[in-house]
Amino acid sequence: MNVARTVRLTFTAGAVESDTHVNLSAVRTDGEHLWIAGDETATVERLTCDDPGKPTEYREHVSFPLADVVDLPGEADEEVDVEGISRNGPFLWVVGSHSAKRRKIKSHHSDAKAAKRLASVSAEPSRRVLARIALSDDVPAERTPEGARSAGLGRGGLYALLADDDHLAPFLDIPGKDNGLDVEGIAVHGAPGEERVYLGLRGPVLRGWAVVLLLEPREEDGELELRKLNGHRYAKIFLDLDGLGIRDMCVHGDDLLLLAGPSMDLDGPVRVYRWPGAATLAAADVVHRGELHRELDLPHGEGDDHAEGIALLPSGELLVVYDSPAPHRLEEAGAVLADVVPL
């Protein structure tokens, strides 16, 4: 894989202070704007580029708290862990990881303290977010002058629906970094009011098979409700990504591009797969490996440079952002370098 060039993402001092620029987890291009999120905040970020045709820098950073426009399952300042962003019509869609969390251990911890922390798991209900954010002049709004309004998934959300799922229920209480439930990608296709939402799971990976959830949310009285697909409120699709989980997704025509990487806390491999015709797929049970194309392999570091988000540029190239960026991506204060790769 050849990196064609890099693009500079420049953030405000406040975002740098909260480490948003080194915890990037989701990205989506949108004309002159770039929507982006970090995995330790309850905000979405908007940057603006210098040249929409071939950007070299995104700057003019503005941060938007999600709690200003939609009800969240946690407190306004609790971490949502936004892991996926998609733009569709007048709406920005966001999804949280929905994952439980195990405490980290650090080098200065004693053996006893390390063992105690590894036994500590928190449910993290603030992460159980699936929301459609209305945009007015590229600014999140509760309601736009045209009548579009922001809404979140109600009735206990997706997590409650999965509590009885044959495949996924056993993984709900397992932390995402331990191959538990971990939503890390979202792609939306279709006209507003007729959308299909694809959620890519980093975990669980089931005997090598990754999982995609297919939903058809519709806004009712300020909340999102899920239409039934084949008698259920979601459909499951199983993909053979060579044992990898899904780290991000984006629409490319009627295809979906899938960023794939390890489900657990490992450095690589990291690949991009093409799923032909996925955006117009009828609700199905299994999609086999033969219907996927391995587009390219992405670089990864050792303990850094974890590819977390992909987005299409107007040039048809792919923009890739990284969590825990390597030092060479942080040459300037307040800025981080993303890669541009040809498809």
Side-chain angles (χ1 to χ4, degrees):
M1 192 276 312
N2 294 319
V3 175
R5 61 186 186 280
T6 58
V7 174
R8 182 182 297 105
L9 312 181
T10 302
F11 294 84
T12 62
V16 173
E17 186 175 334
S18 61
D19 288 334
T20 298
H21 69 310
V22 295
N23 288 292
L24 301 181
S25 57
V27 63
R28 195 63 67 237
T29 51
D30 182 17
E32 65 178 340
H33 296 307
L34 187 73
W35 293 100
I36 204 159
D39 60 11
E40 296 188 1
T41 69
T43 61
V44 291
E45 324 299 325
R46 192 195 70 197
L47 288 78
T48 303
C49 69
D50 54 351
D51 178 1
K54 192 173 182 179
T56 61
E57 181 179 12
Y58 286 91
R59 52 184 185 271
E60 299 177 25
H61 172 216
V62 184
S63 183
F64 300 101
L66 291 172
D68 287 354
V69 296
V70 70
D71 290 335
L72 297 176
E75 298 298 324
D77 59 348
E78 284 187 306
E79 173 191 317
V80 170
D81 195 19
V82 174
E83 291 285 354
I85 297 179
S86 187
R87 175 72 192 263
N88 191 63
F91 299 107
L92 189 72
W93 291 76
V94 300
V95 66
S97 68
H98 288 68
S99 65
K101 182 172 69 174
R102 190 181 302 278
R103 298 192 72 182
K104 294 180 180 180
I105 60 173
K106 299 181 180 180
S107 59
H108 65 273
H109 289 152
S110 67
D111 290 348
K113 185 170 184 178
K116 183 177 180 180
R117 289 175 72 89
L118 284 177
S120 177
V121 174
S122 55
E124 303 293 311
S126 62
R127 299 178 173 193
R128 300 170 192 171
V129 172
L130 174 61
R132 189 194 71 175
I133 308 300
L135 296 177
S136 178
D137 293 328
D138 297 313
V139 173
E142 288 187 82
R143 186 188 291 266
T144 71
E146 295 75 25
R149 58 181 174 179
S150 297
L153 187 62
R155 294 189 181 180
L158 180 65
Y159 190 90
L161 285 176
L162 298 178
D164 296 321
D165 188 90
D166 290 343
H167 297 95
L168 302 177
F171 296 89
L172 296 187
D173 297 328
I174 300 174
K177 297 295 191 295
D178 297 349
N179 198 42
L181 178 73
D182 192 359
V183 182
E184 288 222 358
I186 184 171
V188 183
H189 187 269
E194 301 176 4
E195 301 98 335
R196 274 199 161 167
V197 174
Y198 296 77
L199 300 180
L201 306 190
R202 175 178 175 176
V205 173
L206 305 175
R207 199 174 178 87
W209 291 84
V211 183
V212 172
L213 300 179
L214 173 58
L215 317 174
E216 289 191 353
R218 300 292 181 263
E219 189 261 324
E220 295 285 346
D221 298 325
E223 286 191 344
L224 295 179
E225 302 284 347
L226 298 181
R227 287 183 53 189
K228 288 190 175 181
L229 295 159
N230 295 340
H232 302 280
R233 297 195 183 277
Y234 60 92
K236 286 176 295 192
I237 302 166
F238 300 93
L239 301 177
D240 186 348
L241 301 177
D242 300 311
L244 302 176
I246 297 170
R247 306 298 288 269
D248 198 13
M249 315 170 75
C250 69
V251 176
H252 190 199
D254 286 338
D255 301 344
L256 291 184
L257 298 177
L258 310 176
L259 175 64
S263 66
M264 301 179 74
D265 195 11
L266 301 171
D267 288 323
V270 183
R271 298 168 183 160
V272 174
Y273 293 82
R274 181 180 296 275
W275 183 7
T280 57
L281 182 74
D285 291 325
V286 176
V287 175
H288 291 285
R289 177 182 176 184
E291 296 170 303
L292 299 173
H293 301 303
R294 182 169 158 183
E295 288 275 305
L296 52 91
D297 286 36
L298 293 174
H300 62 84
E302 294 186 9
D304 58 22
D305 259 5
H306 301 142
E308 284 282 341
I310 55 173
L312 281 169
L313 292 169
S315 61
E317 298 166 301
L318 204 60
L319 180 72
V320 184
V321 299
Y322 297 84
D323 187 12
S324 303
H328 75 270
R329 299 188 186 278
L330 301 167
E331 294 177 348
E332 297 183 27
V336 61
L337 296 180
D339 286 340
V340 176
V341 298
L343 286 172

